[in-house]
Amino acid sequence: MEEYLIVIFRTLFLYGLITSIYRMMGKREIGELSILDLVISIMIAELAVVAIEKADENLFRHVLPMLILMIVQIIFAYWSLKSKKLRDIMDGKPTIIINQGKIDENAMKKQRYNFDDLLLQLREKDIARISDVQYAILESSGSLSVFEKNESENEATEITIPIIMDGNIIVENLKRINKDEAWLRKELDKRGYADVKKISFCSFENNDFYIDLKNE
């Protein structure tokens, strides 16, 4: 009887502990977990199972690694807020698969993403024909964001493409809009933004800038 009570206590304790750990690590949907999030989740789950199964062992011996993993995840999450490069390494980057109605086969190859995957995800969004798509973006979570063509041929669908994030210029996105870094700095200087490092986020769409300064 005592053994069953210990198992019940450990189960309830670990349930509360793991719930608290995930709350402290931050909220994310399952489909949006990064590789680091997924690895930590699997390790914590395994540690919890072992802690419940081995009721004769010291509970803190299994709780300590969980707390260490929680601290590691919180530290990496904090660093990723400060560094886009680290975010790209941990979470990956969105990839434009269809750009203005044209499929980018090179982008698909880089992501090991084939036409069967593309057609499947388009069907899941009730889109029967690729010709109906203006933009399709493969998100870092693996989901596909789709923007259909407007009914009016005179209206072009515009998507937000960041050209500055966390004070860093995203050169590859500038190339997508046929611009360069010299053009960007000149345009920002005209608008009174001489220091790019002070800009948290900047995009250029519909021939206009959206600019958000850090800590504003």
Side-chain angles (χ1 to χ4, degrees), residues 1-215:
M1 184 64 181
E2 183 180 350
E3 182 181 344
Y4 290 108
L5 289 174
I6 291 173
V7 170
I8 292 170
F9 167 76
R10 285 186 173 224
T11 301
L12 294 175
F13 173 78
L14 289 168
Y15 170 77
L17 176 65
I18 293 172
T19 301
S20 300
I21 285 174
Y22 277 99
R23 283 190 175 277
M24 285 186 279
M25 289 196 307
K27 297 180 180 179
R28 267 194 171 183
E29 293 181 11
I30 296 298
E32 296 178 350
L33 293 178
S34 68
I35 293 175
L36 179 64
D37 294 328
L38 184 60
V39 169
I40 286 178
S41 297
I42 292 171
M43 291 181 70
I44 288 177
E46 288 293 326
L47 287 166
V49 170
V50 173
I52 293 171
E53 286 181 345
K54 297 186 177 181
D56 57 329
E57 292 188 1
N58 189 326
L59 180 59
F60 185 72
R61 182 174 176 274
H62 302 285
V63 170
L64 180 60
M66 294 183 191
L67 298 177
I68 292 172
L69 289 172
M70 178 193 72
I71 292 169
V72 167
Q73 199 279 342
I74 290 173
I75 290 172
F76 272 106
Y78 176 78
W79 284 347
S80 69
L81 288 174
K82 304 293 184 181
S83 170
K84 184 181 184 305
K85 289 183 180 178
L86 183 59
R87 282 202 303 274
D88 291 343
I89 293 171
M90 292 172 59
D91 300 336
K93 296 187 290 185
T95 302
I96 297 178
I97 301 297
I98 299 177
N99 188 358
Q100 297 184 6
K102 296 181 179 179
I103 298 173
D104 189 337
E105 289 88 356
N106 290 328
M108 291 178 66
K109 288 178 182 177
K110 287 179 182 178
Q111 298 300 319
R112 295 180 294 281
Y113 186 78
N114 57 51
F115 282 101
D116 289 330
D117 297 328
L118 176 61
L119 292 172
L120 172 63
Q121 291 192 291
L122 288 176
R123 288 195 297 271
E124 288 176 344
K125 296 182 180 296
D126 299 322
I127 296 174
R129 300 180 304 176
I130 292 178
S131 59
D132 292 333
V133 179
Q134 182 77 6
Y135 291 99
I137 302 172
L138 184 63
E139 306 292 355
S140 55
S141 63
S143 62
L144 189 72
S145 299
V146 179
F147 301 83
E148 295 184 72
K149 291 180 179 178
N150 291 326
E151 294 181 4
S152 171
E153 294 182 359
N154 295 324
E155 294 181 11
T157 303
E158 292 288 340
I159 61 172
T160 297
I161 298 179
I163 51 179
I164 296 176
M165 290 181 72
D166 300 324
N168 296 308
I169 296 173
I170 307 174
V171 178
E172 61 190 79
N173 285 350
L174 278 173
K175 291 179 181 177
R176 286 198 182 111
I177 60 174
N178 298 315
K179 305 294 183 182
D180 57 24
E181 189 173 336
W183 169 85
L184 176 61
R185 290 185 180 276
K186 181 179 178 181
E187 292 298 319
L188 291 175
D189 194 51
K190 285 181 185 177
R191 291 163 174 79
Y193 301 102
D195 189 357
V196 173
K197 293 295 182 183
K198 292 182 179 179
I199 298 175
S200 175
F201 183 90
C202 173
S203 63
F204 183 73
E205 49 198 287
N206 295 321
N207 293 317
D208 195 16
F209 283 92
Y210 171 82
I211 299 172
D212 183 73
L213 296 177
K214 291 181 179 179
N215 303 319

